[in-house]
């Protein structure tokens, strides 16, 4: 019995000593989080793969195995953030009991993304780098700006199918509504270096926009 216990203890020690292998998807998430910080804090040109790997706590070899170059890293980082946002907006489309509250929740999801400090910092970086890296601006537009408007348009389309709102052009309406909520604070932050408004002020703005929008398109019963 003592010999069996000793063998078991030795096995336990060996198991505890082996490093756990993290799944590649989880490692990518860690890398994207590190990349968000590095790109926002520095510039596209000044951000190196080595710095991102160091912040993520992975080897450069591991990063290159998962993500081939800096352009793919930036694109993947943006797409990952937008994918999580789109999922959240889709979830908020499932409760039509109070259309104004539901629209407010969807608009807050958009505002929480568009007016996040990290996103404003990335947009500022994209504007600064456009002359040197034109593909970065185009990628940001196609992978971040367009999907955000498309997610809100899809949300509105669901409500229209439910007979809760009436719109002639859902995509155009989504762009207008998104602009109502986010454009002024974002422009002030990007070009005027004005601090982003507090969350309570953004909430008030989203509620006002939801109410104004529904006055023009809510289905009459």
């Amino acid at each position: 019995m003592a010999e069996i216990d000793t063998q078991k203890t030795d096995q336990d020690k060996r198991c505890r000593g082996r490093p756990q292998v993290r799944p590649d998807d989880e490692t990518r998430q860690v890398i994207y989080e590190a990349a968000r910080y590095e790109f926002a804090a520095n510039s596209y040109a000044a951000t190196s793969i080595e710095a991102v790997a160091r912040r993520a706590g992975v080897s450069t070899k591991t990063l290159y195995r998962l993500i081939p170059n800096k352009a793919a890293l930036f694109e993947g980082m943006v797409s990952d953030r937008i994918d999580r946002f789109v999922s959240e907006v889709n979830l908020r489309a499932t409760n039509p009991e109070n259309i104004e509250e539901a629209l407010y929740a969807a608009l807050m999801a958009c505002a929480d993304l568009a007016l996040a400090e990290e996103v404003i910092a990335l947009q500022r970086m994209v504007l600064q780098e456009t002359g040197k890296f034109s593909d970065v601006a185009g990628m940001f537009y196609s992978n971040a700006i367009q999907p955000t408007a498309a997610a809100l348009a899809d949300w509105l389309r669901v409500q229209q199918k439910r007979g809760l709102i009436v719109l002639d052009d859902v995509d155009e309406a989504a762009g207008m509504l998104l602009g109502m909520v986010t454009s002024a604070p974002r422009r002030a932050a990007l070009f005027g270096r004005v601090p982003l408004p507090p969350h309570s002020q953004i909430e008030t703005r989203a509620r006002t926009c939801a109410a104004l929008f529904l006055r023009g398109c809510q289905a009459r019963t």
Side-chain angles (χ1 to χ4, degrees), residues 30-92:
V30 173
I31 292 170
Y32 289 149
E33 288 296 328
R36 257 188 286 279
Y37 178 89
E38 290 293 332
F39 281 122
N42 304 299
S43 65
Y44 183 84
T47 296
S48 67
I49 291 290
E50 291 76 15
V52 173
R54 191 161 51 247
R55 178 168 291 277
V58 302
S59 68
T60 305
K61 181 179 179 181
T62 296
L63 195 153
Y64 274 122
R65 179 176 64 81
L66 298 174
I67 304 165
N69 52 52
K70 185 160 67 171
L73 175 62
F74 188 80
E75 182 174 359
M77 174 204 69
V78 172
S79 297
D80 171 71
R81 183 69 179 86
I82 295 299
D83 287 346
R84 285 187 281 130
F85 157 74
V86 170
S87 175
E88 183 177 6
V89 172
N90 287 341
L91 288 174
R92 296 186 185 201

Side-chain angles (χ1 to χ4, degrees), residues 88-149:
E88 183 177 6
V89 172
N90 287 341
L91 288 174
R92 296 186 185 201
T94 60
N95 184 10
E97 293 180 4
N98 185 323
I99 182 61
E100 188 167 328
E101 281 298 315
L103 178 56
Y104 160 73
L107 292 181
M108 280 305 302
C110 294
D112 285 342
L113 174 71
L115 300 178
E117 292 280 1
E118 66 177 73
V119 174
I120 294 294
L122 285 173
Q123 289 185 57
R124 188 176 291 121
M125 183 269 293
V126 168
L127 289 173
Q128 292 171 344
E129 300 284 344
T130 297
K132 300 176 184 177
F133 304 97
S134 58
D135 54 332
V136 172
M139 189 286 301
F140 191 85
Y141 178 75
S142 61
N143 286 52
I145 295 175
Q146 284 187 319
T148 303

Side-chain angles (χ1 to χ4, degrees), residues 159-215:
Q159 313 315 314
Q160 178 151 271
K161 287 180 180 178
R162 288 172 170 159
L164 298 175
I165 58 176
V166 178
L167 293 167
D168 294 329
D169 189 326
V170 173
D171 294 301
E172 184 177 9
M176 295 167 62
L177 183 53
L178 192 58
M180 286 174 63
V181 178
T182 64
S183 287
R186 185 173 59 222
R187 284 198 306 267
L190 283 173
F191 301 109
R193 296 286 177 169
V194 176
L196 287 167
H199 200 259
S200 59
Q201 189 173 326
I202 296 173
E203 289 175 336
T204 300
R205 186 181 185 88
R207 286 196 181 279
T208 301
C209 291
L212 287 172
F213 183 80
L214 290 174
R215 285 178 193 175

